Amino acid sequence: MISLPGMAALWDALPQARMVGGAVRDMLAGRAVADVDFAVPLSPQEVMARVRAAGLKAVPTGLAHGTVTVVACGRGFEVTSLRRDVATDGRHAVVEFTDDWEMDASRRDFTINAMSATRDGAVFDYFGGRVDLAAGRVRFVGEAGRRIAEDYLRILRFFRFFARYGRGVPDAQAVAAIVALREGVRSLSAERVWSEVKQILRAEDPRAVVALMRETGVLDLVLPQADEARLAGMVARGAPVDELLRVAALLRGDAGLFAQRWRLSGAEQVRLAALMAPNALAPDADDAALRRALVEAPGEILIGRSWLEQDDRPGWGELRARIAAMARPVFPVQGRDVVALGVPPGPSVGRVLDAVRRWWLAGGCVADARACLGRARIESDGDAHA
């Protein structure tokens, strides 16, 4: 049974509560559980009153959908009132509260996510989720088309859960419904789509699920003309699990357009563009070439590019090891050093610095500050006579 700090205090305050969703699923699958969500047959107002009476903190984080965050022992737990859908539009749902556990479970996406568990470990499984989990089967609760029409994000969630828990042939009803309703993905916000795509690509081996996305027509909606062969080769060679590296492998188009469409964060945009920049390093590159490359990009980016560019030539693993072991060179001269030589502030300083930096790069980035300043004197004399 899962035991995290604060859970006992929460259950003392809300003995009717059950663990729900991913925590129950992963507990039964023998996977690590970091977060636990709860459901309870009480209104949000009742939840807050009982929690506060027990001396715990209650934060109304989503009252419209019945969610209260209970803080116990410094840890936050989401506690959601049992609900039933009154209306849905493919993205949002209008709900009302209920005390019917099976009704609440019936509105969840997959059978493996529709289970709940009490404090003493009793598992409630209304739709065969435990059997599906053991069989590696990802199956919608009830009619697949209806579940998808309630929220089109469930199309992408199917692929995410199939990548992590699925085995063998995917559920035929689910696949048929996805094919029929796939255009609904276009109605989703960019942030929701990108969040799911990232999680799909974090699977240990995403090759089968990416192929399934292509077969159902969903891949073209999120990654048009994806280069599956490049991704498959990279995964087969043992590349690390890295969603941006995998996007870089799949992308044939402009990284900037992809980043703009799906609203990647600034850091994600910068890293994706760096990974997809031309790679000048081959396995037989000498140390000078490695140092020059490290000046332009961090070792992590160069190693990522090597996975993207790897072909049948030997030595790629050794190249990555050499990059990882090499310190990143730092150009040892700054503008103030050039000014100290007597070069007047202004464009001349920049010209001298550029010339010295080119000289330093050509020499393999090994010249120290003293040598670079000596070169700066030569360049400044030339600049003075120009």
Side-chain angles (χ1 to χ4, degrees):
M1 188 62 182
I2 302 167
S3 179
L4 298 177
M7 284 179 62
L10 184 148
W11 255 315
D12 287 343
L14 299 169
Q16 311 93 328
R18 296 182 193 171
M19 292 191 305
V20 293
V24 182
R25 178 197 65 225
D26 287 346
M27 176 184 72
L28 295 175
R31 296 174 182 249
V33 175
D35 296 301
V36 178
D37 294 332
F38 292 86
V40 65
L42 303 170
S43 71
Q45 291 73 21
E46 288 177 290
V47 169
M48 288 190 291
R50 295 187 186 203
V51 164
R52 288 167 178 166
L56 303 179
K57 184 178 180 181
V59 182
T61 47
L63 285 187
H65 290 87
T67 301
V68 174
T69 297
V70 177
V71 181
C73 299
R75 179 186 288 269
F77 300 94
E78 285 195 355
V79 178
T80 302
S81 300
L82 299 183
R83 300 169 291 176
R84 71 178 188 89
D85 291 336
V86 175
T88 60
D89 65 1
R91 290 190 297 173
H92 309 289
V94 177
V95 302
E96 69 178 22
F97 305 127
T98 179
D99 59 1
D100 188 327
W101 284 96
E102 184 170 353
M103 182 175 290
D104 181 85
S106 72
R107 65 183 299 278
R108 297 181 183 270
D109 49 11
F110 308 110
T111 61
I112 62 174
N113 292 338
M115 297 179 284
S116 57
T118 61
R119 184 174 192 169
D120 61 7
V123 174
F124 289 81
D125 177 14
Y126 304 103
F127 305 105
R130 199 165 191 165
V131 172
D132 287 343
L133 185 64
R137 186 166 49 240
V138 180
R139 185 168 58 88
F140 283 96
V141 172
E143 183 186 343
R146 181 178 177 183
R147 290 282 84 77
I148 290 172
E150 290 168 348
D151 184 352
Y152 291 112
L153 192 70
R154 287 171 173 172
I155 289 175
L156 297 176
R157 283 173 61 83
F158 174 85
F159 295 113
R160 169 157 63 101
F161 285 103
F162 187 77
R164 186 167 185 183
Y165 299 96
R167 296 193 304 275
V169 178
D171 180 69
Q173 185 189 128
V175 170
I178 287 169
V179 171
L181 298 170
R182 65 193 176 206
E183 290 297 318
V185 170
R186 298 186 189 276
S187 69
L188 299 171
S189 72
E191 293 85 356
R192 294 182 88 200
V193 171
W194 176 230
S195 176
E196 289 297 325
V197 169
K198 283 194 290 188
Q199 292 184 79
I200 290 167
L201 293 178
R202 286 175 189 152
E204 192 67 30
D205 185 347
R207 289 175 290 183
V209 77
V210 169
L212 182 59
M213 291 176 71
R214 174 183 48 77
E215 292 164 13
T216 55
V218 174
L219 188 61
D220 275 343
L221 296 175
V222 294
L223 278 161
Q225 300 179 324
D227 193 340
E228 290 176 71
R230 190 183 191 194
L231 172 67
M234 193 176 72
V235 173
R237 287 189 287 270
V241 177
D242 179 335
E243 65 268 24
L244 281 178
L245 181 61
R246 288 170 170 180
V247 167
L250 287 165
L251 272 179
R252 290 181 178 176
D254 187 331
L257 290 177
F258 176 86
Q260 183 179 22
R261 180 184 180 189
W262 298 120
R263 298 184 186 176
L264 276 64
S265 70
E268 289 172 335
Q269 292 184 45
V270 169
R271 184 165 180 263
L272 181 61
L275 286 168
M276 295 186 68
N279 177 49
L281 292 176
D284 59 355
D286 60 20
D287 284 354
L290 261 63
R291 286 191 291 269
R292 282 191 287 268
L294 281 166
V295 170
E296 303 302 329
E300 179 266 334
I301 293 296
L302 298 180
I303 289 171
R305 290 178 190 169
S306 78
W307 285 112
L308 292 168
E309 298 297 327
Q310 183 168 341
D311 53 24
D312 293 334
R313 288 175 293 175
W316 288 99
E318 290 81 356
L319 173 66
R320 286 188 279 271
R322 290 169 60 206
I323 294 171
M326 186 173 284
R328 191 176 186 187
V330 177
F331 182 50
V333 174
Q334 299 181 48
R336 63 172 176 266
D337 301 317
V338 176
V339 171
L341 295 177
V343 178
S348 294
V349 173
R351 284 193 291 270
V352 170
L353 275 176
D354 287 344
V356 176
R357 191 173 189 276
R358 289 194 298 272
W359 172 82
W360 178 73
L361 286 166
C365 313
V366 294
D368 60 12
R370 182 176 179 180
C372 287
L373 286 172
R375 184 68 188 185
R377 290 189 184 90
I378 295 172
E379 297 293 342
S380 61
D381 288 343
D383 195 71
H385 292 103

